[in-house]
Amino acid sequence: MIKKGSISNYVLIAQDDLNTLGFSTGGLDGIFGTNTKEAVIKYQSSRGLRSDGIVGCNTWSSLQEDVVGTGKTATTIDK
């Protein structure tokens, strides 16, 4: 589970996924701040998930499924 205040590579992956899907986190820094939380809430709301701003199992699975096949974008991590 990642939430506001989390700092990790998982946050970076979630930020990349959200940005790729059109939910701006304000950048890729691996820090789960206010912009990332707002992007998570918007994403969750758009997918009928519980909109709590926390990336738990359901949100993580949904993000990973949605981002597959989107191709490289300007925010895609490529390393």
Side-chain angles (χ1 to χ4, degrees):
M1 175 175 40
I2 55 175
K3 59 185 180 178
K4 190 167 182 187
S6 297
I7 301 171
S8 70
N9 287 334
Y10 292 106
V11 175
L12 188 64
I13 292 166
Q15 288 173 328
D16 186 46
D17 292 348
L18 288 161
N19 285 312
T20 297
L21 295 169
F23 300 89
S24 178
T25 63
L28 301 173
D29 60 8
I31 301 169
F32 200 122
T34 302
N35 291 336
T36 299
K37 181 177 180 177
E38 289 174 7
V40 170
I41 290 170
K42 288 177 185 173
Y43 172 79
Q44 290 169 324
S45 186
S46 76
R47 300 303 191 269
L49 299 166
R50 182 174 175 202
S51 301
D52 57 6
I54 297 170
V55 180
C57 292
N58 291 336
T59 299
W60 185 265
S61 295
S62 181
L63 274 171
Q64 299 313 303
E65 289 173 14
D66 285 351
V67 81
V68 169
T70 57
K72 189 173 179 178
T73 68
T75 64
T76 302
I77 299 170
D78 192 23
K79 297 209 180 210

